[in-house]
């Protein structure tokens, strides 16, 4: 065994010195051929555009609904869109947050939302169920007051933490400096947070999540 190990040790220098001549540029391999079928584009009467891209390699499908509303200056309510986005999945008229999360988890799907989109990913066999839940969130999100209070309190705590966080303060300063008088440069403060309530959140959602000029992108085994 010892002799075997010694033999390997003596072979290592031979292997390491048997390298390519790096002064000579190697010839590149042929570029891979990627065949992507043309997507099907469907324009609906309500102003929504559907983009369908089929791929049957895996029994999965994803749906991405993106609203067209551009970022708006929120001024005295800076932070409204961010807070609204974090509350979209807080329940509907038909499902509490726990029921909503349970149904999505049961079929092994992923349903996410932010201030201008809804995204669903699931197995093809669970597509109908996943879309039913996604549609319920889109059409019937009800922003329960207790969840609104919880998120507002969380943001209040986050603002307090930022005041002693050098990185957080630096990010805010960079945003304000680089995007003056632009939505990207607005920073939530204690004063703007105090102006945000459930009515403002619901109003934002109703005005932003509309079909006109939105895109519904469907990709996968469908």
């Amino acid at each position: 065994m010892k002799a075997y190990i010694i033999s390997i040790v003596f072979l290592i220098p031979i292997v390491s010195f048997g390298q390519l001549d790096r002064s000579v540029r190697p010839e590149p391999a042929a570029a891979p051929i990627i065949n992507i079928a043309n997507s099907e584009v469907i324009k609906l009467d309500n102003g929504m555009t559907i983009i369908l891209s089929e791929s049957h390699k895996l029994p999965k499908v994803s749906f991405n609904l993106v609203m067209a509303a551009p970022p708006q200056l929120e001024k005295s309510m800076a932070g409204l869109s961010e807070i609204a986005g974090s509350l979209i999945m807080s329940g509907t008229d038909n499902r509490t947050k726990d029921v909503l999360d349970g149904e999505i988890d049961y079929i092994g799907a992923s349903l996410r939302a932010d201030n201008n989109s809804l995204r669903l990913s699931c197995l093809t066999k669970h597509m109908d169920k996943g879309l039913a839940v996604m549609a319920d969130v889109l059409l019937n999100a009800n922003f329960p007051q207790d969840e609104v209070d919880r998120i507002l309190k969380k943001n209040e705590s986050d603002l307090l933490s930022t005041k002693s966080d050098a990185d957080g303060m630096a990010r805010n300063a960079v945003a304000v400096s680089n995007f003056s008088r632009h939505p990207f440069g607005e920073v939530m403060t204690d004063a703007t947070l105090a102006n945000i309530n459930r009515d403002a959140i619901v109003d934002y959602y109703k005005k932003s999540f509309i079909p006109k000029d939105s895109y519904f992108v469907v990709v996968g085994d469908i």
Side-chain angles (χ1 to χ4, degrees), residues 23-36:
S23 65
V24 179
R25 178 179 296 179
E27 292 295 325
I33 298 175
I34 302 175
N35 295 315
I36 301 177

Side-chain angles (χ1 to χ4, degrees), residues 21-136:
D21 182 356
R22 298 190 179 277
S23 65
V24 179
R25 178 179 296 179
E27 292 295 325
I33 298 175
I34 302 175
N35 295 315
I36 301 177
N38 291 331
S39 299
E40 184 176 356
V41 179
I42 306 163
K43 188 76 173 182
L44 302 184
D45 293 338
N46 62 5
M48 178 184 290
T49 299
I50 298 177
I51 301 176
L52 171 63
S53 179
E54 291 187 56
S55 175
H56 304 287
K57 292 182 179 180
L58 295 173
K60 293 180 62 178
V61 61
S62 66
F63 303 87
N64 192 0
L65 176 62
V66 182
M67 316 321 295
Q72 300 287 331
L73 282 169
E74 296 172 344
K75 300 180 180 179
S76 63
M77 288 191 182
L80 172 62
S81 59
E82 180 183 348
I83 290 175
S86 66
L87 283 164
I88 293 172
M89 295 291 297
S90 61
T92 72
D93 294 337
N94 307 304
R95 295 171 170 88
T96 64
K97 185 179 188 305
D98 289 341
V99 171
L100 188 65
D101 293 342
E103 290 189 19
I104 288 297
D105 289 344
Y106 185 75
I107 61 174
S110 171
L111 180 60
R112 298 287 182 267
D114 56 30
N115 64 327
N116 75 334
S117 69
L118 273 173
R119 301 175 301 280
L120 168 69
S121 177
C122 63
L123 294 175
T124 305
K125 65 180 180 180
H126 296 313
M127 178 177 63
D128 290 344
K129 176 64 175 179
L131 281 174
V133 177
M134 182 181 187
D136 189 27

Side-chain angles (χ1 to χ4, degrees), residues 1-42:
M1 183 67 178
K2 186 183 295 184
Y4 178 71
I5 295 174
I6 293 174
S7 299
I8 292 176
V9 170
F10 277 107
L11 281 173
I12 290 175
I14 299 174
V15 174
S16 62
F17 282 112
Q19 297 178 352
L20 295 173
D21 182 356
R22 298 190 179 277
S23 65
V24 179
R25 178 179 296 179
E27 292 295 325
I33 298 175
I34 302 175
N35 295 315
I36 301 177
N38 291 331
S39 299
E40 184 176 356
V41 179
I42 306 163

Side-chain angles (χ1 to χ4, degrees), residues 126 140 143 163 212 214:
H126 296 313
N140 304 306
F143 303 95
K163 293 176 181 178
K212 182 175 172 55
S214 64

